[in-house]
Amino acid sequence: MVAQLKAGRQGLLALMLISLVDAFYIPGWSIRSYKEAEHVPLLVNKVYSDNTELQYAYYDLPFVCPPTGQFAAAGGMLSGKHIPLNLGEVLRGDRIQASDIELAMAKDKPCTLLCTRNLSSADLKRARQLVRDDYVVEWIVDNLPGATNFISSDKSQKYYAAGFKLGYSEPSPRGRLQQYIYNHHTIVIRHRRATGGAGERGEHIVVGFEVYPSSVAPDAARQPDGCPADLNALGDGFPLHKYANVSEQLPSSARHNLVEMIEFEGTLQIPYTYAVYFREDNNIEWARRWDLYFVNQDEGVGIHWLAIINSVIICAMLTGMVFIIFAKTIYSDIKTYNDAMNESGKLRTKAKSYSGTSTPRDKLGLLGPSTEADVNDFGDSDVVDEGLEDASGWKRLHGDVFRTPKFGFLLAPLVGSGTQFLFMAVGLVSLSALGLLNPTFRGGFISVGIGLFIFAGLFAGYFSSRVFRSFDGKDFRKNAMVTALLFPGLCFGLVFVLNLFVWAQASSTAIPFGTLLAIVFLWLCIQVPLVYTGAYYGFEKARAWEHPIKVTAIPRQVPAQLWYMKPLQSVLLAGLIPFAVVFIELTFVFQSVWQDKTAFYYTFGFTAVVFALLIVTVAEVTVVTIYVHLCTENYNWWWRSFFIGGGSALWVFAYSMWYFTFKLHITGIVSSMLFIMYSFMACCVYGLLTGTVGFLTAYAFVRRIYSAIKID
């Protein structure tokens, strides 16, 4: 019975996960098998480059073979029509369509003419530009990206790099780069017999997809059907240039110079051909077929472990400092003060000496009538000051430490947004570490992240309203609206403006207008009500966070601070420690996202560990820094704790700019804008997340230490 219930839960979970995807299965949960000679769809997606952030749909390129729909009835595929995509795929620039390349399971096709394209001068110029920028093509078979095959440096094993290049560039004899197009593709499908009943029926599964592009020269010998006569004699490649005829009477050197200078204003015909070979490979298990895409990244595992050790050492040192603060300094101070309070009655005597009709405001240089509340508040402050003459300075702030901060109506929504991003980040890292979110789930990381962010609106409203209430806020509805609209609205506006520039480039990186409307619907019609619901519960139903000490009417003067205790300096110094924790892991993330797009980032287990250490480090750094601020009698800790927690975001952004300047080779104004603005938004999200962790930790720390001292 228990086994049946367990199997039922697993099946329900599988159905829930599969329902999230429109076009593809979740690898590990579903296997697609093919009968012999059954059509295997080959999908084309987009072209992308490490040198630019602009992607383009493959069939939007003017120099490739467009779909004709000849396989419309084969395998239920609508050739040439867009495949249904999930939200994450659309946002990452995917534009997947079915191609006219014919793949029949286990049936080789030595060579087939796909089409012949007539290219104008503008089309040639476009092709040369993309080849010059090292654009890579993404084809897909059975959810496997077409791979370029490589051999490791020690020649012990092979590995894959996703995609293959459009063409290549070579210098001409005069030193100028000349671009060549790949117009023949050799496709190798590796397969093996399926297991279970499908295998008994003779069905096969795909375990590898390799593409070997070639450039066949215009003057290469061809068969009547247009295919190269000999694939081992392809000539010098197909140049993306069309030149005027030069008189054969001229010397060869003069002819060459004219060819380099004069281009013909006409059309150029490019024949595209392909060959298909199926190879049975029983050495690759279906569940391990993605491993070859990760082999070349295994060398970085040792560096990941160094990053973990580095982070653990930093976190352990901070933990020791926090332990000393709590166990030695604070505990000792509180015990000494409370013992003194119990043994002497001078505090009450001091308080009674100020009772009367007026408050000695002249000591503070203030004028005006006094009230009874002023008398009591001022008396309490002097009582503690008298009793704490020999104690550390943090206890002198009992009447000011919980004073409502300036612009608290903005701090509360920022904390709410930070908890929203924290929940989203924890969910994404956890699901990725468990293997549910991986490169095989195309667009899954973004889709699930958006879903988690919208659902986390409940937490955003709850924490925002509770912080808002602790600031003596009254209208939680207005606070909820600010929480739901402020930061998401700023991000949406920035993305919309960037999208206008990308639209002008006709890039698939641009978010379609319909997708923008869907995002607005999810934001305003789902997320905003969830934020309001959480805010209502946090403000009306949940118990308020009580402060252990009342605030005095007259704020005390903050003494002059040392240079490293000033706002900017303290934020930068404190933020450097969490940045040191994530720095090594950050280099891998940057390399995968910005520098080597053909590689997949997959070490989410290391990421989860570093993320947990980051949260602990941010919390401990904030506690130590705020304690030092309180000891210097600076009670302005509310905003300071938020900025100290998020201070490492400044270092991450600075590192992003350094990486952009010295590591990347991004060209073009639009691509540079995309990198800078997306890096800025990512650092803002990171800063909100870590700032919220710092604020909530500091809030709990301050409430805890001030609830331990006795104030009569």
Side-chain angles (χ1 to χ4, degrees):
M1 184 65 181
V2 175
Q4 293 176 350
L5 290 175
K6 183 178 180 180
R9 288 196 299 268
Q10 292 176 347
L12 179 61
L13 178 60
L15 291 175
M16 293 173 63
L17 292 173
I18 293 172
S19 66
L20 296 175
V21 185
D22 295 324
F24 300 108
Y25 56 85
I26 300 292
W29 298 91
S30 176
I31 301 177
R32 176 73 167 92
S33 59
Y34 301 88
K35 299 178 181 178
E36 187 171 345
E38 181 181 353
H39 177 64
V40 180
L42 189 150
L43 309 178
V44 299
N45 188 3
K46 61 188 177 183
V47 296
Y48 55 90
S49 171
D50 295 339
N51 299 324
T52 177
E53 299 308 313
L54 296 176
Q55 307 172 112
Y56 299 96
Y58 182 76
Y59 278 146
D60 287 345
L61 303 180
F63 52 88
V64 301
C65 295
T68 62
Q70 60 177 314
F71 296 125
M77 300 298 298
L78 298 177
S79 181
K81 303 296 183 183
H82 285 282
I83 306 299
L85 306 177
N86 59 47
L87 181 59
E89 289 175 307
V90 176
L91 293 179
R92 69 196 291 265
D94 289 350
R95 302 294 184 267
I96 301 176
Q97 295 179 259
S99 76
D100 290 333
I101 296 177
E102 184 178 5
L103 304 180
M105 174 56 71
K107 298 296 182 181
D108 292 348
K109 185 183 291 293
C111 184
T112 301
L113 178 67
L114 186 61
C115 77
T116 299
R117 291 288 286 171
N118 294 321
L119 305 185
S120 65
S121 297
D123 296 338
L124 286 173
K125 182 178 179 181
R126 177 71 168 152
R128 288 195 298 269
Q129 177 187 358
L130 295 181
V131 172
R132 188 184 303 115
D133 289 336
D134 294 326
Y135 269 83
V136 173
V137 183
E138 183 178 352
W139 288 357
I140 304 168
V141 169
D142 197 50
N143 200 30
L144 283 176
T148 301
N149 189 16
F150 292 95
I151 303 297
S152 60
S153 57
D154 58 359
K155 298 182 180 181
S156 61
Q157 56 183 340
K158 71 175 184 178
Y159 64 92
Y160 287 162
F164 56 92
K165 289 189 175 183
L166 273 173
Y168 64 96
S169 299
E170 280 189 355
S172 66
R174 296 182 68 246
R176 292 176 54 186
L177 280 180
Q178 186 164 314
Q179 286 72 44
Y180 297 83
I181 190 73
Y182 286 132
N183 57 343
H184 178 81
H185 299 90
T186 301
I187 300 171
V188 177
I189 304 295
R190 301 193 178 275
H191 65 98
R192 63 176 297 163
R193 183 177 294 274
T195 57
E200 295 174 357
R201 295 190 297 268
E203 298 182 6
H204 299 260
I205 55 177
V206 177
V207 295
F209 175 28
E210 303 169 4
V211 181
Y212 300 89
S214 305
S215 183
V216 183
D219 56 355
R222 292 183 178 271
Q223 301 174 1
D225 60 0
C227 287
D230 186 1
L231 291 177
N232 294 320
L234 302 180
D236 296 329
F238 200 106
L240 289 171
H241 300 266
K242 179 69 174 181
Y243 298 110
N245 291 326
V246 181
S247 173
E248 296 294 335
Q249 303 299 324
L250 295 176
S252 59
S253 60
R255 281 204 310 270
H256 174 74
N257 290 337
L258 283 176
V259 167
E260 289 288 349
M261 297 172 58
I262 304 173
E263 290 200 11
F264 178 72
E265 293 294 335
T267 61
L268 177 66
Q269 286 189 343
I270 301 181
Y272 286 94
T273 56
Y274 69 94
V276 180
Y277 298 95
F278 284 84
R279 295 293 179 263
E280 188 169 2
D281 193 338
N282 294 318
N283 296 322
I284 304 176
E285 297 290 340
W286 188 90
R288 311 285 298 181
R289 62 180 187 164
W290 279 83
D291 289 1
L292 289 176
Y293 294 90
F294 306 134
V295 168
N296 196 41
Q297 303 178 48
D298 290 342
E299 298 177 357
V301 172
I303 301 177
H304 281 289
W305 280 112
L306 289 177
I308 296 295
I309 296 173
N310 171 69
S311 303
V312 169
I313 292 174
I314 295 175
C315 189
M317 293 175 61
L318 287 171
T319 302
M321 293 178 64
V322 173
F323 176 78
I324 292 174
I325 290 175
F326 272 103
K328 299 291 184 180
T329 307
I330 294 180
Y331 179 79
S332 176
D333 284 352
I334 292 175
K335 186 177 184 302
T336 301
Y337 168 68
N338 288 337
D339 290 344
M341 288 281 292
N342 293 330
E343 294 176 1
S344 67
K346 64 178 180 179
L347 297 180
R348 291 188 181 87
T349 304
K350 185 71 176 178
K352 292 178 181 179
S353 67
Y354 285 121
S355 62
T357 58
S358 63
T359 302
R361 291 175 154 228
D362 55 310
K363 293 181 63 176
L364 298 179
L366 301 175
L367 301 177
S370 304
T371 63
E372 185 176 354
D374 292 335
V375 174
N376 294 335
D377 288 337
F378 187 82
D380 287 345
S381 179
D382 265 16
V383 166
V384 176
D385 286 346
E386 181 71 16
L388 300 178
E389 290 177 353
D390 298 326
S392 58
W394 65 270
K395 293 186 293 297
R396 298 175 182 271
L397 304 178
H398 81 100
D400 298 277
V401 72
F402 294 108
R403 191 176 302 281
T404 302
K406 295 181 180 179
F407 306 106
F409 63 91
L410 288 179
L411 180 57
L414 291 179
V415 171
S417 296
T419 57
Q420 193 172 8
F421 285 117
L422 178 61
F423 178 86
M424 180 189 73
V426 170
L428 285 176
V429 172
S430 300
L431 293 175
S432 299
L434 293 174
L436 297 178
L437 296 180
N438 53 65
T440 64
F441 183 3
R442 197 180 309 275
F445 195 87
I446 299 177
S447 298
V448 174
I450 292 176
L452 290 173
F453 176 80
I454 292 173
F455 175 75
L458 288 169
F459 299 94
Y462 176 82
F463 282 93
S464 177
S465 65
R466 295 206 69 178
V467 173
F468 181 71
R469 187 175 180 181
S470 69
F471 294 160
D472 298 325
K474 303 300 180 184
D475 189 358
F476 81 91
R477 297 175 182 84
K478 181 178 179 180
N479 175 72
M481 289 299 102
V482 174
T483 303
L485 300 178
L486 178 60
F487 190 77
L490 291 175
C491 289
F492 181 83
L494 189 57
V495 169
F496 183 79
V497 172
L498 288 175
N499 219 41
L500 296 178
F501 290 93
V502 182
W503 269 333
Q505 301 292 322
S507 170
S508 65
T509 308
I511 304 174
F513 183 73
T515 305
L516 286 176
L517 292 180
I519 293 175
V520 171
F521 173 81
L522 293 173
W523 172 27
L524 298 181
C525 299
I526 299 181
Q527 191 240 4
V528 171
L530 288 175
V531 172
Y532 182 86
T533 302
Y536 172 79
Y537 183 83
F539 195 88
E540 298 290 348
K541 302 296 183 180
R543 183 180 178 183
W545 284 328
E546 297 180 357
H547 297 158
I549 302 175
K550 294 182 179 180
V551 177
T552 60
I554 304 174
R556 65 187 294 127
Q557 185 177 2
V558 178
Q561 302 290 301
L562 297 174
W563 68 270
Y564 56 84
M565 300 302 296
K566 294 181 179 179
L568 180 60
Q569 289 88 327
S570 61
V571 169
L572 290 176
L573 291 175
L576 188 58
I577 300 176
F579 176 71
V581 171
V582 301
F583 172 71
I584 299 179
E585 194 68 24
L586 197 64
T587 58
F588 286 95
V589 175
F590 271 51
Q591 183 177 358
S592 178
V593 173
W594 299 115
Q595 194 171 8
D596 190 3
K597 299 184 179 69
T598 60
F600 298 102
Y601 185 81
Y602 72 101
T603 55
F604 293 107
F606 290 107
T607 304
V609 175
V610 172
F611 180 75
L613 292 173
L614 171 66
I615 297 302
V616 174
T617 302
V618 168
E620 293 178 342
V621 166
T622 307
V623 166
V624 172
T625 309
I626 292 303
Y627 173 74
V628 174
H629 277 77
L630 295 178
C631 288
T632 59
E633 301 185 27
N634 185 355
Y635 57 85
N636 298 313
W637 64 272
W638 298 95
W639 278 103
R640 192 72 60 88
S641 64
F642 184 84
F643 286 124
I644 287 172
S648 56
L650 298 175
W651 291 100
V652 174
F653 185 73
Y655 176 71
S656 301
M657 295 302 98
W658 178 88
Y659 199 87
F660 173 78
T661 305
F662 297 102
K663 289 292 185 180
L664 300 182
H665 305 285
I666 293 179
T667 58
I669 296 177
V670 176
S671 294
S672 300
M673 288 177 55
L674 287 174
F675 177 88
I676 294 172
M677 297 314 299
Y678 282 141
S679 297
F680 174 75
M681 287 190 290
C683 290
C684 287
V685 171
Y686 173 87
L688 279 176
L689 188 155
T690 54
T692 297
V693 171
F695 172 85
L696 294 178
T697 305
Y699 195 9
F701 169 74
V702 173
R703 290 175 57 216
R704 176 68 182 87
I705 63 175
Y706 280 95
S707 64
I709 63 175
K710 298 179 180 180
I711 303 296
D712 291 342

